[in-house]
Amino acid sequence: MNKTLIAGAILASLVAPTVSAIEIYKDDKNAVSIGGFIDARAIHTQDTTEVVNGASRINFGFERALSHDWKAFALLEWGINPFGSSEIVYNNKFETVQDEFFYNRLGYAGLSHDTWGTITIGKQWGAWYDVVYGTNYGFVWDGNAAGVYTYNKDDGAVNGTGRGDKVIQYRNSVGDFSYAIQAQLKNSTFFTCDFDDITQADCEALWQQGKREAQQVEYNYTYGGAVTWKATDKLALAVGVNRGEFDVTYGNGDQITAVDLIWGVGATWGDFDTDGFYASVNYNYNENHDTDNIGRLIKEAYGIESLFSYKFENGFRAFVSYNLLDAGNDYVIQPNFNADPNDVFKRQFVVAGLHYVWDKDTVLYVEGRKDFSDFSSADAEQEARMALSEDDGIAIGIRYTL
């Protein structure tokens, strides 16, 4: 297999599964490009119809040729919200509820060589994403079962499985195998309390008073890796793991340590953007890796995502996807000791969509979601809050790629 092509694919995967950019400057040594898209959609869900932002973004890529066939490069990407804030949390909370016009999505710099691989430092897609990104092509309701957008549908920054903060990552390939390894070098301390609607400051005050209902959480380094085998021109198989550890100190002095672990496998057939059949499936098992819809840490769960599509020669692309994150009952880890052991967490939904790819940079779309989740609880108010962001819905929109 052409190693230069592999290296190019690795660099592209650092940005997103689908990359489009316009070169705006180039000389004998330097190149600058601009990319991104504007996604405008109207959505009906949670008994509300509203025009919302569809994770619109803009990025700037920089590349510099160095001696001995090395290259230096950097990427800066901001999410942009040109349509105003929304209170509807229908998918990724990080993207759907944004008050700022600009917000940080990615930012890293690195070095690359066709033989010696690529090293990058900064906020970037985690190695774990290599395993599961193949099911993340729905525009409106993408995967929330693959362990990427953790901590109640955030951007995966804390544990490095999504757009990880403060990540150093190395990538290379050997024959038909490519691999990525990373370390997330950060120091995070925050406070949690077993109460609804409490601020960090008030929670810290309770902790300082010695209340067991308040906890100080220290979450520092994480580590991860993934290997992908390009078995044929169409079939790719991947396996990966990510691990972190956090320490919890209760207000009364008690301490516990928990391991954040996820591992899984993925398989992809074809190319989502080319004519013909495309399929991708992945499975993961995780411990202390994600939270339920009201922020309680899940002890253990398994997740399945799948996506099947067919793109016709006339530009229409139909797809269907299925997502399941099942933690069963008695799933809430301490320190949320006041949770009902009979509470159930099972996120499950199907999405179907039709895209019209007018050209490669302009897509019109309609997508609908049907929810089959189970958040059974003796507390009816809690069950309603858990189910709110998982509601059925339908959306139409346009994605204009720069």
Side-chain angles (χ1 to χ4, degrees):
M1 184 173 288
N2 187 310
K3 198 158 189 175
T4 301
L5 290 178
I6 293 176
I10 290 172
L11 285 174
S13 72
L14 293 172
V15 181
T18 302
V19 177
S20 179
I22 301 170
E23 192 169 72
I24 58 175
Y25 175 81
K26 186 174 183 179
D27 60 25
D28 293 339
K29 189 178 181 66
N30 300 285
V32 181
S33 61
I34 183 172
F37 60 76
I38 304 297
D39 189 316
R41 63 185 58 150
I43 187 171
H44 177 78
T45 186
Q46 302 167 28
D47 295 323
T48 301
T49 302
E50 189 172 317
V51 171
V52 296
N53 180 36
S56 303
R57 66 200 63 171
I58 188 169
N59 60 62
F60 294 89
F62 306 87
E63 186 176 288
R64 176 174 298 150
L66 303 174
S67 60
H68 307 294
D69 297 322
W70 283 91
K71 291 182 180 179
F73 63 94
L75 183 125
L76 300 172
E77 180 171 276
W78 295 273
I80 56 176
N81 180 15
F83 309 112
S85 62
S86 171
E87 295 302 319
I88 303 177
V89 181
Y90 58 88
N91 187 40
N92 185 326
K93 181 175 67 175
F94 182 84
E95 303 285 4
T96 58
V97 181
Q98 278 289 344
D99 293 327
E100 303 295 332
F101 183 80
F102 283 104
Y103 54 95
N104 186 33
R105 282 177 51 90
L106 297 167
Y108 57 82
L111 297 169
S112 69
H113 190 280
D114 284 351
T115 300
W116 304 113
T118 300
I119 187 168
T120 47
I121 301 174
K123 183 176 178 64
Q124 57 192 298
W125 286 106
W128 172 252
Y129 197 54
D130 292 11
V131 180
V132 300
Y133 78 84
T135 56
N136 199 24
Y137 283 109
F139 287 179
V140 184
W141 291 278
D142 52 22
N144 282 317
V148 176
Y149 304 114
T150 52
Y151 291 89
N152 194 11
K153 307 169 190 173
D154 217 324
D155 72 338
V158 173
N159 40 25
T161 50
R163 293 188 296 274
D165 288 344
K166 300 182 180 181
V167 170
I168 181 168
Q169 188 179 96
Y170 176 74
R171 292 176 174 269
N172 208 340
S173 60
V174 179
D176 294 330
F177 291 85
S178 59
Y179 61 92
I181 55 175
Q182 72 177 46
Q184 189 179 25
L185 306 180
K186 63 182 181 64
N187 294 279
S188 301
T189 300
F190 54 92
F191 295 88
T192 64
C193 284
D194 297 328
F195 304 105
D196 289 337
D197 301 323
I198 186 170
T199 67
Q200 276 279 298
D202 290 341
C203 186
E204 182 179 359
L206 289 177
W207 184 80
Q208 291 174 344
Q209 294 168 20
K211 302 294 185 181
R212 192 179 190 277
E213 296 88 345
Q215 307 89 33
Q216 182 188 64
V217 181
E218 294 185 22
Y219 196 135
N220 297 324
Y221 302 162
T222 73
Y223 307 92
V227 177
T228 301
W229 176 35
K230 188 69 173 175
T232 71
D233 288 342
K234 289 186 175 292
L235 178 63
L237 304 174
V239 60
V241 65
N242 198 86
R243 186 187 188 279
E245 189 173 289
F246 53 91
D247 299 315
V248 179
T249 303
Y250 293 81
N252 67 353
D254 292 345
Q255 293 183 320
I256 63 169
T257 296
V259 172
D260 173 349
L261 175 68
I262 186 169
W263 60 264
V265 295
T268 298
W269 177 273
D271 185 335
F272 185 74
D273 291 315
T274 60
D275 292 347
F277 178 68
Y278 172 86
S280 187
V281 296
N282 57 70
Y283 168 87
N284 74 82
Y285 170 80
N286 61 81
E287 298 177 357
N288 308 316
H289 181 69
D290 207 346
T291 61
D292 67 10
N293 293 352
I294 56 175
R296 301 179 301 184
L297 192 65
I298 296 172
K299 285 190 291 189
E300 59 180 340
Y302 71 90
I304 297 171
E305 290 192 0
S306 61
L307 185 147
F308 305 92
S309 75
Y310 194 91
K311 186 171 182 289
F312 299 90
E313 292 182 359
N314 61 7
F316 283 97
R317 175 173 60 212
F319 80 91
V320 61
S321 64
Y322 170 75
N323 291 263
L324 169 68
L325 181 62
D326 193 347
N329 62 358
D330 195 18
Y331 67 88
V332 178
I333 192 175
Q334 309 297 342
N336 297 285
F337 58 88
N338 56 359
D340 186 340
N342 294 315
D343 287 352
V344 173
F345 183 87
K346 184 178 182 181
R347 177 184 293 150
Q348 182 177 218
F349 61 93
V350 173
V351 176
L354 182 65
H355 297 177
Y356 177 56
V357 185
W358 206 320
D359 60 34
K360 67 182 182 66
D361 296 324
T362 310
V363 182
L364 308 178
Y365 62 88
V366 57
E367 295 184 11
R369 165 182 168 138
K370 180 62 179 176
D371 190 66
F372 300 96
S373 299
D374 181 5
F375 304 118
S376 299
S377 174
D379 185 336
E381 181 182 353
Q382 172 187 291
E383 184 175 343
R385 286 189 293 131
M386 290 276 286
L388 182 62
S389 64
E390 309 289 348
D391 195 20
D392 300 343
I394 189 167
I396 61 171
I398 178 172
R399 178 166 291 189
Y400 179 93
T401 301
L402 303 179

